[in-house]
Amino acid sequence: LGLINIIDLFVLIIIIGLLGFGAYRILNKNPEAQISSVNLVLELEAGPVRSITVDNINVDDEIWDSDKGYKLGTIIEKKVEPYMENVQTADGRIVKAEVPEEYKVLLKVKCDQVVETQSAFTINGFPIQIGGSIATKTKYILTRMRIIGIHRDY
């Protein structure tokens, strides 16, 4: 009756192992779990777009992700360029040419409360990465944009 049998010893070893593993997880936090909140400036590109879209994108407008419903930030700068496309000339060369009545819009958007982990920036749990595409909207327009730059806002 007073002896420890093999099953009791096995259960005791499992309990001690679980306690040790729990203490290890608490004391050695995963760097991925260490997060901080930062402010970023995103550079976004939309194009080709028509003049009605260009005219209705305004500095100081809030811009949102239209698919997921979260606020990206506030537009702080807008630059408009003619939309260029590769075309073949009569002699077979490929050159860039303006597409009539189509434009490329470059925006800088100030994003507050972006979460930074060791591997990504996220807004509302969604990763923000250069090369990514976002369906965006403002009060006036709805268009798809590409992320072409991410900069810390100090």
Side-chain angles (χ1 to χ4, degrees):
L1 233 93
L3 298 174
I4 297 178
N5 63 27
I6 192 83
I7 294 173
D8 293 336
L9 185 61
F10 183 68
V11 168
L12 187 62
I13 290 172
I14 289 177
I15 290 172
I16 290 171
L18 288 174
L19 288 172
F21 178 73
Y24 173 78
R25 295 275 295 176
I26 290 171
L27 296 176
N28 294 322
K29 291 184 180 177
N30 184 353
E32 188 72 16
Q34 296 175 2
I35 58 174
S36 61
S37 181
V38 296
N39 295 333
L40 292 181
V41 172
L42 292 182
E43 291 183 42
L44 303 175
E45 175 186 65
V49 296
R50 297 176 314 177
S51 62
I52 193 161
T53 302
V54 171
D55 295 340
N56 285 289
I57 296 174
N58 304 303
V59 172
D60 294 329
D61 280 353
E62 290 183 345
I63 189 165
W64 298 74
D65 182 313
S66 64
D67 287 341
K68 299 173 183 80
Y70 61 85
K71 179 182 170 185
L72 282 172
T74 304
I75 298 171
I76 58 172
E77 186 179 310
K78 169 183 158 183
K79 183 177 174 187
V80 180
E81 299 176 354
Y83 185 73
M84 305 293 276
E85 206 170 68
N86 290 331
V87 293
Q88 188 170 1
T89 61
D91 61 359
R93 292 179 301 127
I94 303 293
V95 296
K96 290 236 180 232
E98 284 186 27
V99 177
E101 299 181 25
E102 290 193 356
Y103 305 92
K104 177 169 73 170
V105 180
L106 302 167
L107 299 178
K108 288 190 179 180
V109 177
K110 182 174 180 168
C111 303
D112 300 326
Q113 303 301 316
V114 177
V115 175
E116 178 184 14
T117 65
Q118 191 174 31
S119 62
F121 293 107
T122 62
I123 298 175
N124 283 2
F126 298 101
I128 301 296
Q129 297 169 321
I130 294 174
S133 179
I134 303 174
T136 60
K137 67 179 180 177
T138 68
K139 189 187 302 185
Y140 306 104
I141 60 106
L142 179 69
T143 189
R144 185 157 289 280
M145 297 192 179
R146 288 172 299 286
I147 301 171
I148 59 171
I150 299 174
H151 308 282
R152 289 182 176 273
D153 181 30
Y154 291 104

